[in-house]
Amino acid sequence: KEWIPDSTTESAAKAIDSQPFAKLEDAHKWQHGTFIERKHASGISHNKFIILVCNNRPLQVWTGSTNFTDGGIYGQLNVGHIVRDKKVALQYHQYWTSLAKDIPGRRHAGGDGIQPMDVRNEELQPDLSGPLPLRSIKVMFSPRPTAKMLDWFAERVGEAKTIHFTAAFGVSQPIARVLNGTAAGVSSSALRRSPRLLKRASTLRDGCLRYVLLDNKPSLKTSQKLHQKKPGMVDYYDFRFNETNKIAFGALLDKGSSSEDESLTGLNTFVDFVHTKVLLVDALSDEPLVVTGSANFSEASLEKNDENMLFVKGDTSLADIYLTEYIRVFEHYYSRDMYNRFVSKDEDSDRAWGEPVTDESWTVPYFDPSTQLYKERLLYR
């Protein structure tokens, strides 16, 4: 465990302290260097992994998005992933060993000529190029010299028939442009102005369906300010109109909507609902790709932070597990988003929320090729 003595790891330290020794000071006496402080990271120490080592041989890895805290386990959506592969475990152990030596993240962070982590990581795990080979497992560690892997992720999103994606801290520009349709030659500003161009962008990928799960609904005011500051940028308020995208974000039911009001645990400060970092590419195909780990698919997660990412291609059983959980959580929040939007409308509706439909009108969109429901019917049949 890469450990930094701050408030976010206090609960983990307490849990360790309560086992073979009573105090943190006793841990240092029990085994010198039990706790290792990372002083020269170029960003934040964001890894969350454990390596099982037996007789000095790395055997297995537990990784994912889960912080070893009460909030990480009980307060947010997270994932823990066990890899029982000695080659993968060895790569994680080599990475951990470099972190334990407190090698600087980047050259400008200091280090007296020592090869920094970003250069080491790039040499050991070069940026990916093109689709991964079938039945393969790849790992990638950060920091890295550049954030070019974002373009690789954007290419996978652009080529896929189905995407299931979580974004706890927003969507990076390369991926956002693909979700918006701008990768097909339609500008973001044009899409906002023209329903005709928006329709064209939505139908360029016939049959494509992309699910995006955000931690919360982005601020419209913040979006407007960013667009003024950076013309041409793309965000949720652009790609939400693309008919190939289905978007949900963490939310509670509005008060008074049920017999008992929903509430948060209060265990987290920055991320209330969705903390997973998952990308599923064509999850129901014979060649699914699962990407998981600690990194948020952002520039900072690639260029600055200490991070790890796991790529698994062609494991249909694994993809089924991830997809089942993804859809469960997505529909949980999507239904809340729809309900809150319904009850917040000022105009009167001719139908109450939850009122059953007694005719066959509800089936119509499932057979209209221009709708998301039509694509879902074909996807899950």
Side-chain angles (χ1 to χ4, degrees):
K1 167 73 173 78
E2 184 184 359
W3 187 82
I4 294 294
D6 58 21
S7 59
T8 61
T9 55
E10 182 178 356
S11 60
K14 287 181 178 179
I16 295 172
D17 291 347
S18 66
Q19 298 305 313
F21 34 79
K23 299 179 181 179
L24 183 61
E25 292 79 6
D26 295 336
H28 289 284
K29 296 177 184 177
W30 176 69
Q31 181 178 347
H32 178 68
T34 299
F35 294 96
I36 302 170
E37 184 175 355
R38 180 100 164 99
K39 296 180 179 179
H40 293 98
S42 53
I44 62 175
S45 300
H46 202 241
N47 283 304
K48 312 97 168 43
F49 65 82
I50 300 172
I51 307 167
L52 175 63
V53 180
C54 182
N55 296 325
N56 294 320
R57 293 184 303 165
L59 302 179
Q60 302 178 18
V61 174
W62 187 98
T63 186
S65 64
T66 310
N67 286 313
F68 305 115
T69 62
D70 290 342
I73 296 171
Y74 302 112
Q76 317 162 313
L77 177 65
N78 274 303
V79 61
H81 186 123
I82 297 176
V83 185
R84 297 182 175 92
D85 185 293
K86 294 178 182 179
K87 292 182 179 179
V88 171
L90 178 61
Q91 292 180 79
Y92 270 86
H93 192 263
Q94 291 172 338
Y95 174 60
W96 186 93
T97 301
S98 296
L99 293 174
K101 294 178 181 177
D102 197 25
I103 295 174
R106 301 179 75 85
R107 193 173 300 281
H108 65 262
D112 299 327
I114 298 175
Q115 187 183 51
M117 290 295 298
D118 62 337
V119 177
R120 290 176 180 233
N121 292 333
E122 173 67 19
E123 288 183 355
L124 292 173
Q125 294 97 21
D127 288 347
L128 300 177
S129 177
L132 291 178
L134 191 60
R135 290 181 291 278
S136 63
I137 302 178
K138 300 288 185 182
V139 297
M140 185 166 290
F141 301 117
S142 297
R144 308 182 66 77
T146 71
K148 291 181 180 179
M149 275 299 297
L150 291 179
D151 294 327
W152 187 88
F153 291 125
E155 288 176 4
R156 304 289 77 73
V157 172
E159 295 170 354
K161 283 291 185 179
T162 62
I163 288 293
H164 297 81
F165 178 53
T166 62
F169 297 96
V171 181
S172 65
Q173 286 303 289
I175 298 176
R177 285 193 290 269
V178 175
L179 293 175
N180 195 44
T182 49
V186 185
S187 71
S188 173
S189 58
L191 284 173
R192 284 197 171 199
R193 295 193 306 267
S194 173
R196 178 181 60 80
L197 288 179
L198 179 63
K199 185 70 174 179
R200 172 192 160 196
S202 299
T203 56
L204 283 172
R205 293 296 316 283
D206 185 32
C208 177
L209 189 57
R210 299 166 179 147
Y211 296 81
V212 181
L213 180 57
L214 307 175
D215 176 60
N216 54 58
K217 185 177 182 179
S219 165
L220 178 58
K221 290 184 178 179
T222 300
S223 173
Q224 292 171 339
K225 289 180 181 179
L226 287 174
H227 276 83
Q228 292 176 355
K229 186 177 180 179
K230 299 180 179 179
M233 72 159 290
V234 178
D235 64 10
Y236 161 78
Y237 289 97
D238 298 299
F239 60 70
R240 66 173 178 163
F241 294 112
N242 191 320
E243 293 179 4
T244 63
N245 303 328
K246 190 171 183 179
I247 305 168
F249 39 80
L252 300 175
L253 287 173
D254 287 344
K255 291 185 177 181
S257 60
S258 61
S259 57
E260 295 184 7
D261 291 336
E262 295 183 332
S263 63
L264 295 171
T265 62
L267 296 173
N268 297 295
T269 303
F270 300 109
V271 180
D272 289 327
F273 300 97
V274 181
H275 191 249
T276 48
K277 303 90 170 58
V278 170
L279 173 63
L280 309 179
V281 180
D282 292 330
L284 290 174
S285 72
D286 294 331
E287 300 182 7
L289 171 64
V290 175
V291 183
T292 188
S294 69
N296 282 299
F297 303 98
S298 65
E299 290 186 5
S301 70
L302 288 166
E303 293 183 335
K304 296 181 179 180
N305 300 345
D306 293 341
E307 308 268 15
N308 72 95
M309 302 189 82
L310 183 69
F311 304 74
V312 184
K313 180 67 177 290
D315 190 330
T316 55
S317 296
L318 176 67
D320 287 347
I321 294 171
Y322 268 86
L323 180 63
T324 300
E325 175 66 2
Y326 186 100
I327 293 298
R328 181 190 72 82
V329 176
F330 186 93
E331 294 300 333
H332 172 86
Y333 287 127
Y334 187 79
S335 64
R336 279 157 174 72
D337 300 339
M338 293 299 101
Y339 175 83
N340 291 338
R341 187 184 305 177
F342 180 88
V343 298
S344 66
K345 290 182 178 179
D346 295 331
E347 66 272 14
D348 294 331
S349 175
D350 59 357
R351 190 182 301 277
W353 179 267
E355 180 182 343
V357 179
T358 57
D359 56 26
E360 296 182 354
S361 60
W362 67 271
T363 65
V364 173
Y366 287 92
F367 294 89
D368 180 352
S370 67
T371 68
Q372 291 176 335
L373 292 176
Y374 173 86
K375 297 173 183 177
E376 286 188 328
R377 180 177 65 82
L378 298 182
L379 177 63
Y380 297 120
R381 63 183 176 181

